[in-house]
Amino acid sequence: MLMQNSPFSPARPHSPTIHLAISAVALLGAMFAPLAAIAACTPVKLDGRTLSLAQIESVARQGCGVALADEAMQRAERSYGLLLAYAQLDRPVYGLNRGVGLNKDQTIFKGGEISPEVRKLSEQFNRNLLRSHSAAYGSEAPQEVTRAAMLIRLNTALSGGAGLQPAVLRQYAEFLNRGITPVMFGEGSVGQADITILPQIGLAMMGEGQAYYRGQRLPAAQALRQAGLEPVQPFGKDALAIVSSNAYGAAIASLAALDAARLLSQADAVAALSLEGLDGNLAPLLSVSQNQRPYDGQVSTAEHILALLRGSSLWQRDPQRALQDPLSFRTVSQVHGAARDMLQLLQRQLQLQINSSDDNPTVALDARPAEHAQPYELQFYVTEGPVRGAVMPNAGFDPSAWALPLQGMGVALSQVAQLSAQRTLRLTDTAFTGLPRFLSPGNGAIGYGPIQKTVSSLAAEIRVLALPMTTDVQPQAGNIEDVGTNAPATGRRVAGQIDRLTTLLAVELMHAAQAVDLRVAKRPDFALGAGTGALRRDFRQQVPYMAEDRRNDADIVIAADFLVRSRQQQPAGAGTAP
């Protein structure tokens, strides 16, 4: 964990605020690089109930393996047994002995013992379901997202609601442990379970399609052979359980939830340095001001910025200092704090998503009918035999509980971007700073005038990516599937915002450092805070003072890389709740 006065330390590390996307600046392309080998780190023990976002990051990004808890596998085996026991009662089960979607009225097989003929019919149905539902398009999903999706689906299945064959569960674990990552196109889900995207994982486990293994893209069958694995044969409700999950959307959101909090901590640090470049006011950040309306995220942000500014000349009275700063400086704790509050809600909802069943139908082990249960309720229960419980149709696949906070996170990041853009523009205005126009070093240099177009363009793109799309879904499957959430697409938009906001903050950092340099040249006794001083020192080792006009685009790339690498150096899950 970084020191509290580090410019990139998380605000209030003891708080449940998490760290929020799919690697900003696309991790400079690294997120598409094949995972060559599994890291030598402690495997994450999966029990279906306690998976954390930090553990998702360790498996998805650091290549850690997994271990299946004995009690969780026993629960999953009993769940599978209960599903088959229910099917033998000749009761209709969606996706098991009946079709899916509008074909729910089609019978796959009748009840009774699972004969070789019944098994053959079921296996053919499962293959058909995986192949027909594989309808994604677009760019390949990053390997870290695919690994996170496999991990989340495996863990939620271990909670007991899926009814998957134990062999399929073990195949998920083997893929993660041996570094087999299916090639998965990442667009096409409407966010009511990712049924067009996740089949690609199931097909790879059968030996169909493509997969990455040891740094190479291979036919999945070849990857299985080289890894010493046999293809699985989905049976029963396996195919439906593989595809009817929000694991892909939750993977995007979880990785986004890890990156955004780190980005917010950096946004605090850059804003603090900008405040020194402005020679601005600390009054809005002081505890007396904050306690008048003490929202958690707002107070956390103010404390973080004040810690970064400890020792700064801003703590000294200055008769030249303006009475009131522009709102983009004054409202940082409110805007960044609101983003943290939204992030905390997103984290809480994701924690429940990744540790519970979103299967339909769901297998409820050991559930008992109420004393006065009606005949309609009783039809869903197995009340005799070694495994008892219920197989219940439901709508647990609807991810609105976390899709809406995810959309809210996009709006919050747009506000953070708006403040950054406006602070950057104010720093070039001598009326606010008392510094040369466009932060020019003199000698006829133009300075940072033309880069204002870049700032405006980035802010506009981030704003457009925040536009809601959670309800923009067309009816499908004969109008029976008539709503959706577009959760994966929303997550990709948030990831795109983080990418662009990283660049926008990089541009602000260039301006803030230049403004501070000019101010120090004007006032040699002007001191920076402990955290902001470290930020300026480290940044200037990468991007030097602009003593004369030079290419801004080259500096932008280096500055953005500086921010990305600073985030990557943090431990997996840094800043998340323990």
Side-chain angles (χ1 to χ4, degrees), residues 464-485:
V464 168
L465 288 171
L467 295 177
M469 62 180 302
T470 52
T471 57
D472 190 9
V473 174
Q474 304 301 315
Q476 307 126 52
N479 292 326
I480 193 171
E481 298 172 8
D482 52 356
V483 299
T485 65

mmCIF file of all heavy atoms in Angstrom, residues 464-485:
data_model
loop_
_atom_site.group_PDB
_atom_site.id
_atom_site.type_symbol
_atom_site.label_atom_id
_atom_site.label_comp_id
_atom_site.label_asym_id
_atom_site.label_seq_id
_atom_site.Cartn_x
_atom_site.Cartn_y
_atom_site.Cartn_z
ATOM 1 N N VAL A 464 -20.154 12.152 -23.823
ATOM 2 C CA VAL A 464 -21.012 11.329 -24.683
ATOM 3 C C VAL A 464 -21.060 9.892 -24.172
ATOM 4 O O VAL A 464 -22.119 9.236 -24.189
ATOM 5 C CB VAL A 464 -20.509 11.383 -26.139
ATOM 6 C CG1 VAL A 464 -21.196 10.322 -26.984
ATOM 7 C CG2 VAL A 464 -20.758 12.765 -26.731
ATOM 8 N N LEU A 465 -19.939 9.379 -23.692
ATOM 9 C CA LEU A 465 -19.908 8.012 -23.180
ATOM 10 C C LEU A 465 -20.739 7.842 -21.911
ATOM 11 O O LEU A 465 -21.037 6.721 -21.513
ATOM 12 C CB LEU A 465 -18.464 7.584 -22.908
ATOM 13 C CG LEU A 465 -17.610 7.325 -24.146
ATOM 14 C CD1 LEU A 465 -16.147 7.131 -23.763
ATOM 15 C CD2 LEU A 465 -18.122 6.125 -24.921
ATOM 16 N N ALA A 466 -21.102 8.951 -21.267
ATOM 17 C CA ALA A 466 -21.925 8.877 -20.057
ATOM 18 C C ALA A 466 -23.412 8.817 -20.364
ATOM 19 O O ALA A 466 -24.217 8.598 -19.451
ATOM 20 C CB ALA A 466 -21.644 10.091 -19.167
ATOM 21 N N LEU A 467 -23.797 8.991 -21.631
ATOM 22 C CA LEU A 467 -25.228 8.999 -21.956
ATOM 23 C C LEU A 467 -25.856 7.647 -21.620
ATOM 24 O O LEU A 467 -25.312 6.592 -21.953
ATOM 25 C CB LEU A 467 -25.430 9.310 -23.442
ATOM 26 C CG LEU A 467 -24.990 10.712 -23.892
ATOM 27 C CD1 LEU A 467 -25.172 10.862 -25.392
ATOM 28 C CD2 LEU A 467 -25.779 11.775 -23.139
ATOM 29 N N PRO A 468 -27.013 7.628 -20.962
ATOM 30 C CA PRO A 468 -27.631 6.362 -20.539
ATOM 31 C C PRO A 468 -28.024 5.489 -21.725
ATOM 32 O O PRO A 468 -28.472 5.984 -22.755
ATOM 33 C CB PRO A 468 -28.876 6.820 -19.772
ATOM 34 C CG PRO A 468 -28.599 8.236 -19.395
ATOM 35 C CD PRO A 468 -27.764 8.801 -20.490
ATOM 36 N N MET A 469 -27.852 4.183 -21.550
ATOM 37 C CA MET A 469 -28.313 3.229 -22.549
ATOM 38 C C MET A 469 -28.900 1.979 -21.886
ATOM 39 O O MET A 469 -29.115 0.963 -22.534
ATOM 40 C CB MET A 469 -27.167 2.832 -23.479
ATOM 41 C CG MET A 469 -25.993 2.143 -22.822
ATOM 42 S SD MET A 469 -24.672 1.697 -23.990
ATOM 43 C CE MET A 469 -25.542 0.656 -25.163
ATOM 44 N N THR A 470 -29.171 2.059 -20.600
ATOM 45 C CA THR A 470 -29.626 0.871 -19.876
ATOM 46 C C THR A 470 -31.006 0.385 -20.315
ATOM 47 O O THR A 470 -31.342 -0.782 -20.110
ATOM 48 C CB THR A 470 -29.654 1.151 -18.365
ATOM 49 O OG1 THR A 470 -30.397 2.357 -18.118
ATOM 50 C CG2 THR A 470 -28.264 1.309 -17.800
ATOM 51 N N THR A 471 -31.814 1.236 -20.894
ATOM 52 C CA THR A 471 -33.158 0.818 -21.297
ATOM 53 C C THR A 471 -33.325 0.735 -22.808
ATOM 54 O O THR A 471 -34.440 0.523 -23.298
ATOM 55 C CB THR A 471 -34.210 1.787 -20.734
ATOM 56 O OG1 THR A 471 -33.915 3.122 -21.182
ATOM 57 C CG2 THR A 471 -34.203 1.768 -19.220
ATOM 58 N N ASP A 472 -32.266 0.878 -23.556
ATOM 59 C CA ASP A 472 -32.349 0.912 -25.017
ATOM 60 C C ASP A 472 -32.197 -0.498 -25.573
ATOM 61 O O ASP A 472 -31.144 -0.877 -26.090
ATOM 62 C CB ASP A 472 -31.275 1.837 -25.578
ATOM 63 C CG ASP A 472 -31.470 2.104 -27.064
ATOM 64 O OD1 ASP A 472 -32.518 1.708 -27.607
ATOM 65 O OD2 ASP A 472 -30.560 2.693 -27.678
ATOM 66 N N VAL A 473 -33.245 -1.311 -25.466
ATOM 67 C CA VAL A 473 -33.218 -2.711 -25.879
ATOM 68 C C VAL A 473 -34.475 -3.024 -26.684
ATOM 69 O O VAL A 473 -35.579 -2.597 -26.332
ATOM 70 C CB VAL A 473 -33.133 -3.652 -24.653
ATOM 71 C CG1 VAL A 473 -33.244 -5.110 -25.080
ATOM 72 C CG2 VAL A 473 -31.823 -3.429 -23.903
ATOM 73 N N GLN A 474 -34.296 -3.771 -27.764
ATOM 74 C CA GLN A 474 -35.421 -4.179 -28.594
ATOM 75 C C GLN A 474 -35.954 -5.544 -28.125
ATOM 76 O O GLN A 474 -35.183 -6.404 -27.705
ATOM 77 C CB GLN A 474 -34.989 -4.288 -30.058
ATOM 78 C CG GLN A 474 -34.377 -3.009 -30.611
ATOM 79 C CD GLN A 474 -35.331 -1.835 -30.525
ATOM 80 O OE1 GLN A 474 -36.504 -1.964 -30.864
ATOM 81 N NE2 GLN A 474 -34.830 -0.704 -30.057
ATOM 82 N N PRO A 475 -37.269 -5.779 -28.196
ATOM 83 C CA PRO A 475 -37.815 -7.094 -27.817
ATOM 84 C C PRO A 475 -37.246 -8.211 -28.684
ATOM 85 O O PRO A 475 -37.017 -8.036 -29.881
ATOM 86 C CB PRO A 475 -39.320 -6.931 -28.047
ATOM 87 C CG PRO A 475 -39.557 -5.451 -27.992
ATOM 88 C CD PRO A 475 -38.328 -4.824 -28.557
ATOM 89 N N GLN A 476 -37.014 -9.365 -28.061
ATOM 90 C CA GLN A 476 -36.434 -10.512 -28.759
ATOM 91 C C GLN A 476 -37.192 -11.780 -28.385
ATOM 92 O O GLN A 476 -38.066 -11.771 -27.534
ATOM 93 C CB GLN A 476 -34.956 -10.675 -28.370
ATOM 94 C CG GLN A 476 -34.093 -9.442 -28.542
ATOM 95 C CD GLN A 476 -33.368 -9.094 -27.261
ATOM 96 O OE1 GLN A 476 -32.710 -9.930 -26.675
ATOM 97 N NE2 GLN A 476 -33.497 -7.861 -26.815
ATOM 98 N N ALA A 477 -36.762 -12.886 -28.999
ATOM 99 C CA ALA A 477 -37.288 -14.228 -28.687
ATOM 100 C C ALA A 477 -38.810 -14.242 -28.724
ATOM 101 O O ALA A 477 -39.466 -14.686 -27.779
ATOM 102 C CB ALA A 477 -36.773 -14.702 -27.328
ATOM 103 N N GLY A 478 -39.358 -13.763 -29.820
ATOM 104 C CA GLY A 478 -40.809 -13.774 -29.954
ATOM 105 C C GLY A 478 -41.497 -12.882 -28.950
ATOM 106 O O GLY A 478 -42.622 -13.162 -28.516
ATOM 107 N N ASN A 479 -40.820 -11.792 -28.564
ATOM 108 C CA ASN A 479 -41.340 -10.780 -27.642
ATOM 109 C C ASN A 479 -41.428 -11.242 -26.193
ATOM 110 O O ASN A 479 -41.928 -10.498 -25.338
ATOM 111 C CB ASN A 479 -42.721 -10.268 -28.086
ATOM 112 C CG ASN A 479 -42.663 -9.472 -29.363
ATOM 113 O OD1 ASN A 479 -41.689 -8.763 -29.614
ATOM 114 N ND2 ASN A 479 -43.683 -9.599 -30.195
ATOM 115 N N ILE A 480 -40.901 -12.418 -25.879
ATOM 116 C CA ILE A 480 -40.918 -12.841 -24.481
ATOM 117 C C ILE A 480 -39.769 -12.192 -23.705
ATOM 118 O O ILE A 480 -39.861 -11.968 -22.499
ATOM 119 C CB ILE A 480 -40.855 -14.383 -24.372
ATOM 120 C CG1 ILE A 480 -41.185 -14.815 -22.943
ATOM 121 C CG2 ILE A 480 -39.492 -14.923 -24.792
ATOM 122 C CD1 ILE A 480 -41.352 -16.309 -22.783
ATOM 123 N N GLU A 481 -38.698 -11.867 -24.416
ATOM 124 C CA GLU A 481 -37.576 -11.167 -23.790
ATOM 125 C C GLU A 481 -37.640 -9.715 -24.253
ATOM 126 O O GLU A 481 -37.032 -9.332 -25.251
ATOM 127 C CB GLU A 481 -36.255 -11.835 -24.186
ATOM 128 C CG GLU A 481 -36.159 -13.279 -23.704
ATOM 129 C CD GLU A 481 -34.954 -14.021 -24.255
ATOM 130 O OE1 GLU A 481 -34.096 -13.364 -24.897
ATOM 131 O OE2 GLU A 481 -34.873 -15.235 -24.065
ATOM 132 N N ASP A 482 -38.400 -8.914 -23.516
ATOM 133 C CA ASP A 482 -38.753 -7.585 -24.009
ATOM 134 C C ASP A 482 -38.102 -6.443 -23.241
ATOM 135 O O ASP A 482 -38.434 -5.276 -23.482
ATOM 136 C CB ASP A 482 -40.271 -7.408 -24.020
ATOM 137 C CG ASP A 482 -40.928 -7.745 -22.687
ATOM 138 O OD1 ASP A 482 -40.214 -8.190 -21.766
ATOM 139 O OD2 ASP A 482 -42.159 -7.557 -22.564
ATOM 140 N N VAL A 483 -37.188 -6.735 -22.324
ATOM 141 C CA VAL A 483 -36.439 -5.683 -21.636
ATOM 142 C C VAL A 483 -34.974 -6.092 -21.528
ATOM 143 O O VAL A 483 -34.615 -7.247 -21.783
ATOM 144 C CB VAL A 483 -36.995 -5.390 -20.217
ATOM 145 C CG1 VAL A 483 -38.426 -4.914 -20.283
ATOM 146 C CG2 VAL A 483 -36.880 -6.621 -19.318
ATOM 147 N N GLY A 484 -34.123 -5.159 -21.144
ATOM 148 C CA GLY A 484 -32.706 -5.445 -20.972
ATOM 149 C C GLY A 484 -32.040 -4.315 -20.220
ATOM 150 O O GLY A 484 -32.686 -3.315 -19.875
ATOM 151 N N THR A 485 -30.736 -4.465 -19.969
ATOM 152 C CA THR A 485 -29.992 -3.444 -19.220
ATOM 153 C C THR A 485 -28.761 -2.936 -19.956
ATOM 154 O O THR A 485 -28.205 -1.914 -19.586
ATOM 155 C CB THR A 485 -29.511 -3.999 -17.873
ATOM 156 O OG1 THR A 485 -28.558 -5.053 -18.107
ATOM 157 C CG2 THR A 485 -30.676 -4.517 -17.041
#
